[in-house]
Amino acid sequence: MEQDRNLNPDTDDLPLCANTNHILVRHYVLDLTVHFDRKVVSGSVVLFLQPCSGVMTRPQDGFEFGAREGESTQEAEKSQHAPLCSFQEVNTIKDRATDLDLTRVGTAAVDLEGPAIKNREGLVNATGENIQSSHWCGNTCDSDFTLVLDCCDLAVSKVEEVDVTSVPAMSSHLAEISSERTGDSSVSPQAALIQNVISMPSSQWRQQHQLFSQCTRAPGVQDGSSLDFYTDRWSLQVRKRGISSPQEFPRVLRICYETRPTGGSVRWTKDQDNRVCVYTAGSPINNRALFPCQEPPVAMSTWQATVRAPSECVVLMSGEEQAVPIGDGDTCFLIWNYYVTMPMPASTFTLAVGHWLQVSAEIPPALEKELKDRMDCGKRPKPGAEARTEAGLVSSLGSSTTEVVKDSTVQTGSGDQTTRSDSALCYSSLEDERLPVTDYSGMVDDGISCSHGDYPCRFTEQSAGSQRVIPHRVFAPVSLLQKAQIGVLPLLPRCLAAANAVLGVHPFPRLDVLIVPAGFSSLGMASPHIIFLSQSVLYAENPGSGEGTLSLCGSRLCHEIAHSWFGLVIGARDWTEEWISEGFATYLEDIIWALAQQLSLQETAEQSDLKALLRWRRLCDELQNSEEELQILRPNMENTGQVSESGSSTVKHALNPDKSFMQVHYLKGYFLLRFLASQVGEQQFSEFFRLFVKKYHGQLILSQDFLRMLLITFPDMARKGLTLSAIYADWLDRPGIPKWLYERSAVWSQARLVEEVKAEVVKWILLSQSQGKGRKRKRMEPKVNYKEVTSDQLVMLLELLLEEADLSMATIRTLQRTYNLQNQDAEVRHRWCELVVKHGYTQAYGDVKHFLVHDQAMVKKWTNLHAKWWRKWSYDIGGC
């Protein structure tokens, strides 16, 4: 994504403009239509707002999902029906997002984008960018309150106040409010009604959502007043004339808009079958180019969404129940409805619309034959072949694409849910898997109750506690159904059960896994109820035998599943502390994957040491090729978690293009957790994770929350000199590599699996020397007994061979044939392509081309670290 130069040409920080200290969005209702012909999503979003009194700039321990800052759980429950949320008054810092007081935008807001002139469609700044506006300056004054939402690349056509008093279902609430408000005119009926709905207890969430839904269909307020709005590069700003405070501001707004084809929040592309699709891209700007929202993570909210899409498409989304699509009148569209009851940041909202099919345990014979023919030919089917293949599948299944999805409802465990199960969902019991059940409950204090605000929490439900594997589905394009069936479907229940054994209750009631298009920029992305998985984690061509060929897929699944606990149900209060999500998931993926493989303690330790050494090497490479300021896990240091008086802030370096390629938060965060585990014992550390999850689920945290609880739980750490400030200094607040990590890497390099690899490397080096350039080629190659190695060992072997200045072409050819390198997983092929490029092995340039096209999740990282080899390959291939 291009760096914004209108906001501040000297920074690569992402502004979070929403004034969340003044007013909060408590619920979104989206009504969207997907237009593949124009590559836009059109519709509206209705915001249910709650004003705040006071400011919140420095967090207390563990900000609560659904609770008000500065309140205990008991205080939150007592104040549920209070008209305002209350934040504690604490130190403020300068508004880094805009250097403006966002409650007094006025003319200054126009100046954010430079000199602006009115035109027929709004405003155009000096750089030619379109700026949308109503009659902003003429209808409002500087004393009017401004609602600021994060917004980018959206064509906003209308903003209006919704007349909720016209909703018939609100009449009983209105009568109740009228009796309570006798003589009190400080709060309008509209405000009192919405506060009443927002404050409904979680046991009535279904009735609450029905009221929200009915309110969205109400007309706009017809009192003669109007709302004025203005959009700049990063925000949508709304005012109502004469309204000077958030308490007086309208509580329900409807915003009508369209996305733009080039908007950064969604990606319009084609899947592996050349069929159109769209999905939220997980870009640095999050969802602000999908709908106007409050991006700061403290702006916790629930949502409902209605999505209209072509009838041949499947709509997958973050939602607690599997959607049952219904027809949209005589149109060729279907309507899909999703919702969530757990308050979460708007950035976690995820959407995917495409021609995907659900992966079943058995692929119909007719489709299997056509898929085999396609793979044997190695060619894309002719135009129309995709339709014939899909039609064959539909015929074999006896239902349409959407009917396969329509035919089941997920049991969510959220109370009054409809429950029905059938073949469309997997409810694996794992009775035949013989997966060991590890009980870590001995350390957990069962007296610790939920510390978050009121919402239907699975951690308190007995049925959820005994659910080792949640209902799950896998979706893929037709051409990848077989690979997903072999590589993902059987692993998923094992990984889910292992995660449950390690971390406890699954935070979410169901899970969809989608194999996304080739252009997806990472190996995976986790969101509530859905995981995007890159095709790079699937086996290349031949599934082979044993677990080795599925290692990348299994470990990546475990990584993304771990995010359900760390990254989603426990989130980072400050987005610059990415290690809280990625470092934790990287550390936990090894533990969960080892359990899913049913490894012995010794095998687990050996696999862990090998992975640690690979990550150590990767971290060293990255730190040598990156700026020091991008290597710090807590870049805001003592200012971490602080925001401006309005609640706006920035995400440091979020728009730096190099940052998207870096894995320092994954790797250095992982090593910090390994260091801490070495101090208290790995078993005790795993038990502590469960304790921490039980205490902090449903909350936002900073590094200090985790570290303080750890130091309190294990007081011996302080006697070893491990204090909060010492951990900050060694691991979080400075670039480079801590001393412990240097020392430990020497131990990992002597591990048994690594020594086996070194022995194999010596064989290949000797072979290369015997086939040197000066020697004549022999008719018979020397026979060498090469040891069978795992996928991780093969990665290490190739990395060590990459350190050799010279390898003969004959050796490289033998290496390729011995390990069938072009058909290994993406991590192996990544190193194979490096070897090919470094030594100019032109016979395998086709493998490099294939890697660049089909494994884009790994390409940018590779070309960034090995720019010289990349330039060499580009030159060579250009001359071919």
Side-chain angles (χ1 to χ4, degrees), residues 655-704:
L655 300 180
N656 188 316
D658 292 336
K659 189 173 182 296
S660 61
F661 307 142
M662 296 187 64
Q663 293 192 325
V664 66
H665 292 87
Y666 294 73
L667 301 174
K668 198 172 177 181
Y670 156 81
F671 285 121
L672 169 54
L673 293 174
R674 282 204 64 143
F675 164 72
L676 296 173
S678 72
Q679 302 303 305
V680 302
E682 292 183 1
Q683 178 70 17
Q684 291 81 0
F685 199 53
S686 292
E687 292 169 354
F688 174 76
F689 269 96
R690 286 175 68 98
L691 184 66
F692 186 81
V693 167
K694 188 167 184 182
K695 180 175 175 59
Y696 279 100
H697 70 271
Q699 300 181 62
L700 297 172
I701 66 168
L702 299 175
S703 297
Q704 64 198 44

Side-chain angles (χ1 to χ4, degrees), residues 51-119:
C52 309
S53 59
V55 297
M56 172 186 61
T57 59
R58 186 187 296 274
Q60 304 299 309
D61 290 353
F63 181 78
E64 301 170 4
F65 288 26
R68 296 146 176 95
E69 180 68 5
E71 294 178 331
S72 66
T73 305
Q74 292 79 9
E75 290 171 338
E77 291 171 353
K78 290 177 182 177
S79 63
Q80 284 234 344
H81 296 280
L84 305 174
C85 49
S86 176
F87 294 124
Q88 289 190 342
E89 192 80 32
V90 285
N91 294 332
T92 64
I93 61 174
K94 186 179 180 182
D95 188 334
R96 294 170 291 171
T98 60
D99 290 335
L100 293 173
D101 179 356
L102 292 177
T103 62
R104 304 286 183 267
V105 181
T107 307
V110 178
D111 293 335
L112 283 176
E113 296 273 352
I117 342 177
K118 275 271 190 181
N119 71 3

Side-chain angles (χ1 to χ4, degrees), residues 31-34 305-315 323-338 353 400-406:
D31 188 351
L32 307 176
T33 301
V34 178
T306 296
V307 180
R308 292 171 183 81
S311 57
E312 66 272 17
C313 291
V314 172
V315 176
V324 180
I326 58 176
D328 186 20
D330 343 350
T331 70
C332 57
F333 281 67
L334 287 177
I335 299 174
W336 303 70
N337 294 290
Y338 287 90
V353 183
S400 72
T401 304
T402 52
E403 283 171 344
V404 173
V405 181
K406 285 167 63 177

Side-chain angles (χ1 to χ4, degrees), residues 156-172:
V156 179
S157 58
K158 184 180 182 181
V159 181
E160 64 177 351
E161 180 180 1
V162 178
D163 183 9
V164 297
T165 60
S166 66
V167 177
M170 287 293 218
S171 57
S172 60

